[in-house]
């Protein structure tokens, strides 16, 4: 619920040990370190040092448990957790147009570090990885800059790499009844996840060079909002209501295949909390930037959240300009409550 910070390091890890005790011990060590790191201190005696003297910079750390932590792809119940896997925590289904690289998808665990200083986020992840040596191994990682969503009404809406305001119609922290309905897990499927949520990541490459060839009015028809103000087409201001009945030149002002039309709750029938970041990971080796949106969404149920919206986007006019290259889903346990609490306690303490 922290208003989205400007920088991200996201890391997915695989658990290397078969010892449930070692895993639990690491989660306790991580929690102790995270308490210090989010207060602007070092991670403990062996800290790597590169954040010495820096302020906490709004650092938040969020952990998640992937489906493979509960049951491996070959059906092994490595940690006695199989019966505790909430039914909604399953691998995401394939979607048309996916170009997933399995080496940068999935993972047994994840850590999301968000901060306003990239050095602080990177330092936190590095030290958790250090403290997890022998228990976990990094599977893949993603750096992000320039939050692509506002998650609080107090924040100005940022722009994504397509040049459009992103996050205007996002769920906002102030709207607690919508968060209860769409983001927080209640006693839905597994008691241990009560007060938690599900996190979906998608690394979405944008074909920015092709996008940049499009005149702005064509780009606006694809998104369904104006480029400068971010207003719904047919309206003037960013926060004017989206009017799907508005007509322009005899046609719907907001085209029926536009991104906003298809993803809006009126059409998708659901809502998600978006909290993604931009990335530029060098080039693709073929003369184009490997740039895009590291999409992160939080929802109460992946199937009724991301999956439902993404299915609805199968005819999205934006699709020729994007490629999904990585995918993952995690269950995030409820936040740490007091000084004795630790990440995952409700899951591991039966
Ligand atoms: C690179 C890929 C994407 C880009 C550039 C993008 C961009 C945008 C922009 C500019 C808006 C309008 C401003 C706003 O209300 O936030 C928007 C809205 C939205 N997007 Fe995306 N988006 C992308 C992918 C996705 C994906 C994968 C999903 C979910 C499966 C999604 C779900 C939504 C939703 C739910 C809205 C709000 C619609 C409304 O209620 O009006 N977007 N997106």
């Amino acid at each position: 619920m922290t208003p989205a910070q400007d920088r991200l390091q996201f890391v997915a890890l695989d658990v290397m040990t078969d010892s449930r005790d070692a895993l639990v011990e690491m989660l306790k060590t991580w929690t102790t370190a995270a308490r210090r790191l989010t207060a602007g201190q070092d991670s403990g005696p062996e800290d790597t040092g590169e954040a010495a003297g820096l302020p906490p910079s709004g650092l938040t750390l969020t952990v998640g448990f992937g489906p493979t932590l509960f049951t491996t792809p070959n059906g092994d119940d490595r940690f006695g957790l199989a019966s505790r896997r909430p039914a909604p925590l399953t691998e995401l289904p394939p979607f048309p147009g996916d170009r997933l690289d399995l080496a940068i998808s999935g993972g047994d665990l994840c850590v999301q570090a968000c901060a306003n200083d990239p050095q602080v986020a990177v330092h936190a992840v590095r030290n958790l990885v250090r403290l997890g040596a022998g228990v976990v191994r990094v599977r893949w990682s993603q750096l992000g800059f320039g939050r692509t969503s506002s998650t609080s009404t107090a924040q100005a809406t940022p722009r994504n790499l397509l040049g459009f305001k992103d996050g205007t119609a996002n769920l906002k922290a102030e709207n607690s009844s919508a968060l209860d309905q769409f983001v927080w897990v209640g006693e839905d499927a597994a008691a241990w996840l009560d007060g938690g949520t599900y996190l979906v990541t998608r690394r979405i490459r944008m074909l920015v060079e092709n996008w940049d060839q499009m005149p702005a009015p064509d780009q606006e028809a694809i998104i369904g909002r104006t480029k400068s103000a971010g207003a719904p087409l047919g309206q003037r201001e960013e926060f004017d209501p989206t009017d799907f009945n508005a007509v322009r030149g005899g046609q719907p002002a907001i085209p029926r295949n536009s991104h906003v039309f298809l993803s809006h709750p009126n059409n998708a029938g659901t809502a998600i909390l978006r909290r993604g970041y931009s990335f530029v990971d060098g080039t693709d080796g073929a003369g184009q930037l490997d740039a895009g949106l590291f999409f992160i969404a939080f929802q109460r149920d992946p199937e009724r959240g991301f999956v439902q919206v993404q299915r609805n986007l199968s005819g999205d006019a934006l699709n020729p300009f994007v490629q999904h290259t990585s995918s993952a889903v995690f269950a995030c346990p409820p936040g740490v409550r007091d000084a004795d609490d630790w990440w995952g306690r409700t899951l591991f303490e039966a």
Side-chain angles (χ1 to χ4, degrees):
M1 288 302 99
T2 310
Q5 303 92 322
D6 267 328
R7 303 294 186 136
L8 165 84
Q9 185 176 8
F10 192 93
V11 66
L13 310 111
D14 284 333
V15 180
M16 307 312 293
T17 179
D18 288 328
S19 160
R20 180 176 164 132
D21 289 347
L23 180 56
V24 165
E25 208 43 52
M26 183 198 72
L27 288 167
K28 290 180 178 172
T29 304
W30 273 9
T31 311
T32 305
R35 261 194 201 97
R36 296 179 57 85
L37 289 163
T38 51
Q41 299 163 2
D42 62 26
S43 58
E46 311 282 319
D47 187 86
T48 53
E50 73 274 24
L54 296 178
S57 309
L59 175 70
T60 55
L61 293 162
T62 308
V63 292
F65 303 130
T68 48
L69 185 72
F70 296 81
T71 316
T72 64
N74 15 340
D76 293 346
D77 178 6
R78 274 193 300 172
F79 304 109
L81 295 174
S83 63
R84 299 178 72 84
R85 182 180 61 78
L89 183 66
T90 51
E91 302 297 342
L92 298 180
F95 297 96
D98 275 358
R99 298 231 195 152
L100 303 185
D101 177 350
L102 296 182
I104 55 166
S105 296
D108 296 339
L109 295 176
C110 75
V111 178
Q112 175 195 253
C114 297
N116 293 314
D117 180 340
Q119 178 110 347
V120 169
V122 166
H123 169 258
V125 166
R126 178 178 174 190
N127 280 278
L128 296 185
V129 169
R130 177 181 62 78
L131 292 167
V135 180
V136 289
R137 187 167 70 179
V138 172
R139 179 177 173 86
W140 56 271
S141 176
Q142 181 69 51
L143 283 178
F145 65 91
R147 65 183 167 89
T148 61
S149 263
S150 33
T151 60
S152 157
T153 52
Q155 288 184 299
T157 314
R159 290 180 188 271
N160 62 32
L161 292 183
L162 297 184
F164 278 74
K165 288 189 182 177
D166 201 341
T168 304
N170 201 11
L171 291 178
K172 302 280 160 75
E174 291 78 6
N175 190 352
S176 55
S177 63
L179 298 178
D180 285 343
Q181 187 181 352
F182 294 113
V183 179
W184 298 122
V185 175
E187 287 192 16
D188 299 358
W192 70 264
L193 197 56
D194 186 1
T197 184
Y198 293 93
L199 188 172
V200 167
T201 66
R202 305 282 286 186
R203 182 181 183 278
I204 309 178
R205 182 172 171 204
M206 295 171 176
L207 305 178
V208 287
E209 289 85 355
N210 299 4
W211 180 256
D212 296 344
Q213 300 297 317
M214 303 278 291
D218 294 4
Q219 296 181 347
E220 292 178 335
I222 291 171
I223 298 294
R225 286 183 174 267
T226 62
K227 194 165 183 179
S228 58
L233 295 182
Q235 314 285 339
R236 297 173 68 90
E237 307 288 342
E238 182 187 353
F239 293 103
D240 286 349
T242 325
D243 178 1
F244 293 119
N245 297 319
V247 171
R248 202 172 51 173
Q251 298 292 325
I254 301 178
R256 295 300 185 247
N257 64 349
S258 65
H259 183 68
V260 160
F261 179 83
L262 293 172
S263 60
H264 191 276
N266 269 7
N267 201 287
T270 189
I272 53 181
L273 176 76
R274 289 169 288 140
R275 208 176 182 286
Y277 289 85
S278 295
F279 67 84
V280 179
D281 294 344
T283 77
D284 65 357
Q288 300 203 311
L289 289 171
D290 184 5
L293 166 64
F294 188 68
F295 177 94
I296 299 177
F298 293 95
Q299 56 261 289
R300 184 173 182 165
D301 179 333
E303 175 65 31
R304 291 202 305 268
F306 172 79
V307 172
Q308 192 167 318
V309 184
Q310 180 64 12
R311 284 210 177 104
N312 227 51
L313 287 174
S314 66
D316 188 355
L318 186 58
N319 287 348
F321 299 92
V322 298
Q323 291 170 354
H324 291 227
T325 60
S326 127
S327 175
V329 60
F330 302 94
C332 301
V336 172
R337 280 162 199 192
D338 54 40
D340 297 324
D341 202 5
W342 47 278
W343 268 329
R345 179 184 53 78
T346 56
L347 170 62
F348 288 93
E349 270 186 8

